[in-house]
């Protein structure tokens, strides 16, 4: 059984910053207003995520995917 994750508010702030930035770029893409530099940042982030996917392996990646889907669901639910 994995050890419980230690809560780190600084790391959580970093994660939230990336989440907000990525969602802002995706929103801009949907509106057709995205800047090239923002697309480049999103591309770099996607490449980084793919590298982490390879390092983490299928079990951790599956858990992360489920967590992301849950966060997206909760985010959408809060918009209503």
């Amino acid at each position: 059984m994995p050890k419980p994750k230690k809560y780190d508010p600084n790391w959580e702030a970093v994660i939230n910053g990336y989440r907000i930035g990525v969602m802002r770029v995706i929103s801009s893409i949907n509106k057709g207003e995205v800047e090239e530099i923002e697309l480049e940042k999103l591309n770099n982030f996607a490449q980084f995520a793919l590298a982490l996917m390879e390092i983490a392996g299928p079990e951790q990646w599956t858990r992360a995917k489920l967590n992301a889907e849950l966060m997206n669901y909760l985010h959408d639910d809060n918009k209503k």
Side-chain angles (χ1 to χ4, degrees):
M1 179 174 254
K3 290 191 285 187
K5 187 172 85 169
K6 211 179 350 174
Y7 179 73
D8 180 349
N10 293 326
W11 183 240
E12 291 296 322
V14 169
I15 292 169
N16 286 333
Y18 276 109
R19 183 178 298 119
I20 290 166
V22 167
M23 297 311 294
R24 185 175 46 236
V25 173
I26 291 171
S27 177
S28 295
I29 291 169
N30 289 333
K31 293 176 188 174
E33 305 170 348
V34 68
E35 296 179 21
E36 188 173 344
I37 188 75
E38 297 302 320
L39 280 176
E40 190 174 315
K41 288 178 186 177
L42 183 60
N43 180 56
N44 289 342
F45 184 80
Q47 294 300 321
F48 180 75
L50 290 169
L52 279 176
M53 184 178 182
E54 187 173 343
I55 291 168
E59 185 178 314
Q60 285 184 348
W61 191 258
T62 300
R63 281 196 317 249
K65 182 177 179 272
L66 290 172
N67 285 343
E69 289 169 352
L70 180 59
M71 286 187 290
N72 187 51
Y73 174 78
L74 293 173
H75 176 72
D76 288 346
D77 199 40
N78 285 335
K79 284 185 174 181
K80 294 177 184 178

